Amino acid sequence: MSDKRKYLGPAVIAVVLLAIAGGVVYYMAHARRLPDGLIAATGRIEADRIVAASKFPGKIAAIMVREGDNVAAGASIAQLDDAQIASRLEQARQTLQRARRAAQGRRERPGPSRGARCR
């Protein structure tokens, strides 16, 4: 009986190793694969060129980030000088006021009545 006990330990170890090897093979065969054209990797991506654009033209008044900072999509990275836009806004307001005064002046002037006939 001692002969059987002598082989029992190595047999249990062999069975456990076979089970682990079978699990690894099963996992590798059934692992979820990425679609064609995509890869999975770890590491760091560095871009050489970034294109940033503003919806409106103007001069940059302040830059709010530095090289190497993490920036989320949609975050403000610079502030434009709004002096030109403020000037255009003031011009538009003045034009609107002149147009309103002109329209009010036309309403206040007496004109020919619609019912009167010319002779």
Side-chain angles (χ1 to χ4, degrees), residues 14-117:
V15 168
V16 169
L17 289 176
L18 282 174
I20 291 173
V24 169
V25 169
Y26 178 81
Y27 174 77
M28 296 298 270
H30 294 89
R32 205 170 125 191
R33 300 196 193 288
L34 291 173
D36 290 338
L38 295 179
I39 61 170
T42 58
R44 180 177 171 167
I45 297 175
E46 291 191 26
D48 293 332
R49 187 173 191 173
I50 301 293
V51 177
S54 170
K55 293 181 181 180
F56 305 102
K59 293 181 181 179
I60 294 178
I63 297 176
M64 299 173 194
V65 295
R66 294 188 318 229
E67 183 177 346
D69 287 351
N70 291 328
V71 179
S76 295
I77 59 172
Q79 181 178 3
L80 294 178
D81 182 13
D82 63 349
Q84 291 178 345
I85 294 172
S87 174
R88 288 182 190 169
L89 179 61
E90 186 58 33
Q91 286 176 342
R93 284 183 178 153
Q94 290 174 2
T95 303
L96 178 61
Q97 287 177 354
R98 282 194 301 267
R100 285 181 177 165
R101 281 193 298 256
Q104 180 127 13
R106 286 189 198 119
R107 278 188 240 140
E108 293 175 358
R109 286 189 208 142
S113 66
R114 293 184 183 194
R117 289 187 170 182

